[in-house]
Amino acid sequence: AQAAYEFDNGMSLDVVGGYNEQNANWIRDFDLTDRYNWFSRDPQAVKDYSGEIRLSSNQDGKFRWLIGANYYDQTFTTSGAGGDNTTGCFAFFSTDDYANCSLALLFRNTFINSDESEVLGLFGSIDWDISDEFTFIFEGRYQDDTLNKAGTLSENGISDDAFSLKSKTF
């Protein structure tokens, strides 16, 4: 969604927002062999939303400015490591005789590729036309990022515990 309003003095206010939700499930050959015995059903869920607001000065003058803020939030969950229901079927008589499946196993999911992201940004710019040929431009952005992740690779190896990365930058 997007909305804009221009004031009588030439200033403008712009607001932008978005929302996304996706749920999927993919089935694959888990052991990547030509044997018909090991399948994985891997769920995936993504939900994110974002918003931004900007206020800018009249753009006709020699001095112009803009200030704004934006926010982004995402939750992403996927398996890719065995799925929520992995079935193994083992035929003891012949490798091609899967109609006589002798054993079936069910395994629960480990959502090791799950993460949550949150980003807050504040930004602004100043433009000043020094002459017809030169413009001084100063822009800046402050950003506060948080990422919560589980079961990822780090310097210490693979971790099953969620950990958080935080970053504040200008």
Side-chain angles (χ1 to χ4, degrees):
Q2 180 176 347
Y5 181 79
E6 188 168 324
F7 297 93
D8 291 338
N9 63 2
M11 289 177 41
S12 64
L13 178 68
D14 297 283
V15 179
V16 179
Y19 175 79
N20 174 51
E21 185 172 348
Q22 173 185 319
N23 296 300
N25 204 5
W26 47 288
I27 298 173
R28 64 189 170 98
D29 179 5
F30 187 68
D31 64 357
L32 302 175
T33 68
D34 60 352
R35 297 184 61 103
Y36 186 68
N37 68 343
W38 198 253
F39 294 97
S40 174
R41 184 174 61 153
D42 298 289
Q44 184 180 72
V46 180
K47 185 186 288 188
D48 63 72
Y49 57 92
S50 61
E52 180 171 300
I53 185 167
R54 293 182 303 267
L55 180 65
S56 57
S57 68
N58 186 326
Q59 298 297 299
D60 295 334
K62 289 187 172 215
F63 181 78
R64 299 170 302 281
W65 54 265
L66 175 138
I67 57 171
N70 65 348
Y71 180 78
Y72 177 75
D73 187 286
Q74 178 194 51
T75 302
F76 176 75
T77 303
T78 185
S79 175
D84 64 344
N85 218 357
T86 304
T87 304
C89 179
F90 303 95
F92 293 106
F93 304 107
S94 165
T95 59
D96 297 322
D97 185 16
Y98 292 102
N100 297 316
C101 184
S102 302
L103 177 65
L105 303 172
L106 298 176
F107 297 93
R108 296 299 301 157
N109 189 359
T110 58
F111 289 107
I112 64 168
N113 296 322
S114 303
D115 63 69
E116 295 175 335
S117 303
E118 184 177 36
V119 179
L120 172 65
L122 305 173
F123 56 89
S125 70
I126 297 171
D127 295 18
W128 177 35
D129 296 332
I130 299 170
S131 68
D132 290 339
E133 298 174 354
F134 296 102
T135 301
F136 170 79
I137 300 172
F138 176 77
E139 296 181 345
R141 177 179 179 86
Y142 169 79
Q143 188 160 308
D144 185 347
D145 296 320
T146 302
L147 172 64
N148 295 314
K149 207 150 181 65
T152 57
L153 186 61
S154 69
E155 305 90 44
N156 301 326
I158 296 177
S159 170
D160 290 330
D161 297 329
F163 69 92
S164 182
L165 300 171
K166 295 182 185 239
S167 171
K168 295 181 180 184
T169 56
F170 181 81

